Amino acid sequence: MKFENVQAVLFDLDGTLIDSAPDLGAAVDKMRVARGMSSLPLSHYRPMAGAGARGMIALAFGWTPDHPDYEQLKEEFFVNYESCMTERTFAFEGVAQLIQELVDLKMPWGVVTNKSKRFAEPLTQAMPLFASAAVVISGDTTPHAKPHPAPLLEAAKRLGVDPAACVYVGDDERDIVAGHAAQMKTVAATYGYLGAQADVQRWQAHAQIDCPEQLLKLLHV
């Protein structure tokens, strides 16, 4: 299978381009230790890394957003994460090569993430990988985050590309739902933070890849 007439490639961030689970886990685990609780291994946190603060706090403390102290705990997590978010975060193996191939092909690429600008902007600015990104759309760039199509449509608008000529790659069902709603070609990245319960086939992405480099085989260039 190959996608025809692709003019831009857009990616989710965490779990698709970068492995930020170690820093996310460290930020919330620090909160456990500060409260006299035992430290938990990264393997405990990794499956929910794509769910951000909500996922990390649920795994560390068993709290959901309806807990009366949840907002206070969430802000503490955010402060911790801000202080360490580039210490242990790296691009997944093969991502740097994929991005270089896209650059060599003169294929515009960008990021559409649900991570708020507070984190997405300094993180992408700190990593050389993103120097060639044509657009970075955060979770609060538009009034709606994924699975709403608004962030993807905003990315296409800024690139000056028809959404139908874009490919969107993500490791979460919300990515695929948003991609379909934006009329983009969708690719499920199975190497990210899927978790044991994920049924990728049910997402009905147009294609799926088990490593970053496989994306190139889908592009008719």
Side-chain angles (χ1 to χ4, degrees):
M1 173 186 180
K2 284 187 180 290
F3 295 135
E4 301 285 343
N5 304 316
V6 174
Q7 296 176 29
V9 180
L10 299 169
F11 298 92
D12 174 49
L13 185 59
D14 302 84
T16 301
L17 292 178
I18 62 172
D19 183 2
S20 51
D23 283 327
L24 290 165
V28 79
D29 205 60
K30 181 179 179 181
M31 295 162 62
R32 280 182 57 92
V33 173
R35 288 164 173 77
M37 303 169 73
S38 61
S39 177
L40 296 173
L42 172 59
S43 58
H44 178 77
Y45 298 114
R46 181 176 288 281
M48 289 295 286
R54 177 173 50 84
M56 295 296 98
I57 291 171
L59 287 175
F61 298 98
W63 290 10
T64 55
D66 57 1
H67 191 284
D69 296 325
Y70 179 82
E71 288 302 317
Q72 180 181 341
L73 207 66
K74 183 174 74 169
E75 183 55 31
E76 183 181 343
F77 169 74
F78 283 163
V79 170
N80 282 356
Y81 181 57
E82 268 181 317
S83 71
C84 74
M85 63 182 172
T86 59
E87 288 181 10
R88 311 164 190 83
T89 293
F90 299 96
F92 282 106
E93 184 177 355
V95 165
Q97 294 89 331
L98 167 61
I99 296 303
Q100 187 57 54
E101 290 276 3
L102 293 177
V103 171
D104 291 345
L105 291 167
K106 294 182 170 50
M107 176 71 70
W109 73 279
V111 173
V112 181
T113 176
N114 273 1
K115 217 180 192 77
S116 68
K117 181 180 179 181
R118 173 179 176 180
F119 310 107
E121 198 167 88
L123 180 59
T124 54
Q125 288 176 354
M127 297 183 70
L129 175 74
F130 298 97
S132 60
V135 65
V136 175
I137 302 295
S138 304
D140 48 1
T141 299
T142 67
H144 304 281
K146 298 175 296 182
H148 197 282
L152 290 172
L153 295 173
E154 178 65 20
K157 178 183 175 183
R158 294 189 185 188
L159 290 171
V161 174
D162 185 336
C166 295
V167 171
Y168 187 54
V169 186
D171 71 308
D172 190 279
E173 186 173 11
R174 291 170 297 179
D175 300 322
I176 307 307
V177 171
H180 281 307
Q183 303 297 309
M184 294 184 179
K185 302 166 180 71
T186 57
V187 178
T190 65
Y191 54 84
Y193 301 144
L194 291 173
Q197 309 306 316
D199 181 0
V200 182
Q201 301 302 324
R202 187 173 61 82
W203 300 357
Q204 297 187 324
H206 294 103
Q208 66 181 57
I209 55 175
D210 301 319
C211 64
E213 299 96 319
Q214 288 180 354
L215 180 65
L216 292 170
K217 298 177 181 177
L218 298 173
L219 305 180
H220 195 270
V221 290

